[in-house]
Amino acid sequence: MEEKLKKPAFRRAFRATLPVMFGYIPLGMAFGLLLSNAGYGLEVALGMSALVYAGSAQFLAVMLFSAGAGLAEIFLTTLFLNIRHMVYGLSMLERFRGMGWARIYLIFGLTDEAYALYVGAEPGEGENEKTYLLWVCAFCHFYWILGSVLGAALGRLVTVNTTGMDFSLTALFIVLAMDLWERYRAFEPFLLGAVFGVLARVLLGEQAMMPGAIVGILGWLMIFRKHMEARLDAGVRRLEEGAK
């Protein structure tokens, strides 16, 4: 029988996901409002957020639905938009190994923000890692569903100008990046992302920026993986020695 979810893991996961909550709820509300303004009901917002659970892809879907895009166009656009999740999944293979049924839900909930929390996750003393990660995943999922439903419900009552609300996702990324910096104190991952992001934007354009940057970063990590891991380990050791 699987180990029951424990209260310490519940509380620690809740604290760890608070930055995600402050980003997902307003951003989910923006999605719900857009969906409602496009003529779709509350049940569509609930279904998409519970079963699709892909923030940027859901925003894109609203625009594609409104523009009358075909299935092939929706498929290809969504594939390129979310291709980065293949990289996330590959990097989590070892961590999810042996987690049984929980692995299915953890993979499903592997959003950008959840990935950042997975990477930095360190179970407490005597705490089961699977239990902790499940709570992290469940909290993030719940925040997004709650925001989407609230936004769709509000959209039924009033017309709201959602201009600028999507910046909350950018702000959330900044907060999570700061948290990872506090954990590892290694500038290479941030520099790597910035360099390949700029190169992909200049060479490939806005539409192909994301997949291009991901391919470049993945290639770099395949070649210099040991160096990157050594730098991260060194950063953790420096923090541990400074805390003593």
Side-chain angles (χ1 to χ4, degrees):
M1 182 179 293
E2 296 288 347
E3 182 179 347
K4 293 183 178 179
L5 299 180
K6 298 179 180 179
K7 288 185 178 180
F10 175 92
R11 289 195 295 265
R12 209 164 65 84
F14 175 70
R15 290 195 297 268
T17 57
L18 281 176
V20 178
M21 180 183 73
F22 292 123
Y24 269 16
I25 291 182
L27 193 63
M29 290 181 67
F31 164 72
L33 285 166
L34 287 173
L35 195 65
S36 179
N37 291 340
Y40 296 94
L42 185 66
E43 66 281 358
V44 177
L46 174 61
M48 287 187 69
S49 293
L51 302 177
V52 177
Y53 187 35
S56 54
Q58 289 180 223
F59 276 99
L60 180 64
V62 177
M63 293 184 287
L64 292 174
F65 291 161
S66 300
L71 290 177
E73 183 180 353
I74 293 174
F75 171 78
L76 290 174
T77 306
T78 304
L79 175 64
F80 279 109
L81 181 65
N82 288 331
I83 197 170
R84 65 191 184 280
H85 292 281
M86 295 176 63
V87 181
Y88 296 165
L90 288 172
S91 67
M92 287 285 123
L93 285 177
E94 286 300 320
R95 189 155 202 174
F96 290 167
R97 194 180 303 278
M99 289 193 176
W101 63 268
R103 179 173 56 182
I104 299 174
Y105 184 56
L106 291 173
I107 293 172
F108 167 75
L110 196 57
T111 62
D112 299 312
E113 295 75 24
Y115 177 73
L117 294 175
Y118 288 176
V119 169
E122 295 179 1
E125 185 177 351
E127 187 175 271
N128 184 279
E129 182 180 40
K130 180 179 71 175
T131 300
Y132 175 71
L133 292 180
L134 276 174
W135 275 119
V136 168
C137 186
F139 273 124
C140 293
H141 195 189
F142 172 73
Y143 301 147
W144 181 252
I145 294 173
L146 178 61
S148 301
V149 171
L150 288 175
L154 183 62
R156 286 184 170 184
L157 303 175
V158 295
T159 300
V160 180
N161 184 355
T162 59
T163 302
M165 287 189 69
D166 54 348
F167 181 75
S168 59
L169 183 61
T170 302
L172 178 58
F173 285 151
I174 294 172
V175 171
L176 293 173
M178 292 172 61
D179 182 65
L180 289 176
W181 168 257
E182 288 296 323
R183 287 181 183 276
Y184 295 104
R185 294 297 175 91
F187 68 88
E188 285 87 351
F190 304 97
L191 180 62
L192 189 64
V195 169
F196 278 102
V198 171
L199 285 175
R201 177 65 176 84
V202 172
L203 299 176
L204 303 176
E206 184 176 352
Q207 298 299 322
M209 174 185 171
M210 182 65 75
I214 289 173
V215 170
I217 292 171
L218 184 59
W220 177 278
L221 291 176
M222 290 174 65
I223 298 172
F224 300 103
R225 176 183 174 183
K226 291 184 178 180
H227 168 73
M228 190 67 72
E229 289 177 344
R231 288 289 299 161
L232 293 177
D233 290 340
V236 172
R237 285 196 298 272
R238 285 196 300 269
L239 288 177
E240 290 177 346
E241 291 171 359
K244 292 180 180 179

